[in-house]
Amino acid sequence: MLLSNKQTITTALLTLVIMTGWAQTKTATVTGYSPALKDGTLVLAGVGGSGTVVDTVQAGRFAYTLPVEEFTESSLSFFGEGCPRSYTLIFLRPDVTVKVTGNDCLNPLWKVESPIPEQQTQNRLTEHCRDVLTERMQMDLTNAPREKDDSITMIWMKQQMDILPSLPVDAATIRALLGISETAMIRKDFPYMEQLKEVEKTIAARAPKGFEEELAEIHSYVYAKNEQQIAEELAGNESVFFKKYDDVAPEDILQTILDNYKGKAVLIDMWATWCGPCRAGHKTMAPLKEELKGRNIKFIYITPPSSQAMMLSARNWKKQASKMNTFKDTDLREALRRKYANTLTLLANLKESILERLASYF
């Protein structure tokens, strides 16, 4: 079939528009395989602390592509039989393909083949802690008592600190130290505080330019304020309040909260100040909150007692707190987990889709 000059020009312009759109969308690709993964297992991945279903496993294989504009960290996890509630940390940059392979379902321990130097640092850190990480995930799969998990976590923190000074100071090193310092600040009885102070000092002295903000945050956690100081400084902040429900059964607390907002749509976010993905989720939701401003909806944020220790240590906490109403009650969180465990898991996996649907109702 012959095309007229007009048709030819139109087709050429459309092709140019499409090609321009492709050129502007930078991506990275991850492929993987493990014979232990069951067919239909959900593959969840994302950048910047967020994650969505990106593929389903077939014959042990999976593949996905993520939009990546610059160097960033991403997560990979699975939802299916035999899969632990843990994720693989994968560093990405545009136009990179990463290959992930293993022989079991313990994906954080799989081999990650990547040309990115930070990933190689992360691989060394993971290999050094392989035994304790294996034990942690096996305990997760068997629902081991929390007390035992805590003791294993402390061993993992110690092993990381043992190797960190010998690793390059890059995004992987800084990320690991940040996680350790957050844990140390939350736990009053952190047994390796002196070693942590030495490691923090060593890493800060060797760090290249570009990590100033992260290092300042780590320092604030290592030398965190005590509870009395926090309580005094939070006393005048009307946007933050700690409410106890001692006379209400844990399973009835949610309804008690909802009774305060009858006639309104209520979105409840269960989070923690020390949870990186939680804080990233707040940033993701910020545009939606602004869009729904003045509408018939109330945002409630529920955080556990462990969050209090970080509230004034976190660099951006005061800015966050000015936009939040925060309840603090561990019993409530545990009751919700028992009563709505499956629902909450589903909501977490489909968060973006649900938020889009929520916006359409107002």
Side-chain angles (χ1 to χ4, degrees), residues 185 216-217 220-221 223-237 240 242 273 306-321:
M185 185 205 46
E217 186 171 2
S220 71
Y221 295 161
Y223 297 93
K225 300 175 182 179
N226 61 43
E227 290 186 1
Q228 182 60 34
Q229 291 174 303
I230 294 171
E232 291 175 357
E233 294 189 40
L234 282 177
N237 192 331
V240 182
F242 301 95
T273 51
S306 57
S307 288
Q308 185 175 359
M310 279 187 67
M311 286 184 171
L312 292 179
S313 297
R315 292 169 61 83
N316 296 323
W317 166 249
K318 290 185 179 179
K319 183 177 179 181
Q320 290 177 339

Side-chain angles (χ1 to χ4, degrees), residues 182-200:
E182 288 177 342
T183 301
M185 185 205 46
I186 293 166
R187 294 189 56 135
K188 298 177 182 179
D189 59 343
F190 187 73
Y192 309 112
M193 184 56 74
E194 293 307 313
Q195 182 181 7
L196 175 57
K197 290 179 179 179
E198 287 300 317
V199 173
E200 185 255 349

Side-chain angles (χ1 to χ4, degrees), residues 41-52:
T41 295
L42 298 180
V43 183
L44 296 93
V47 298
S50 64
T52 58

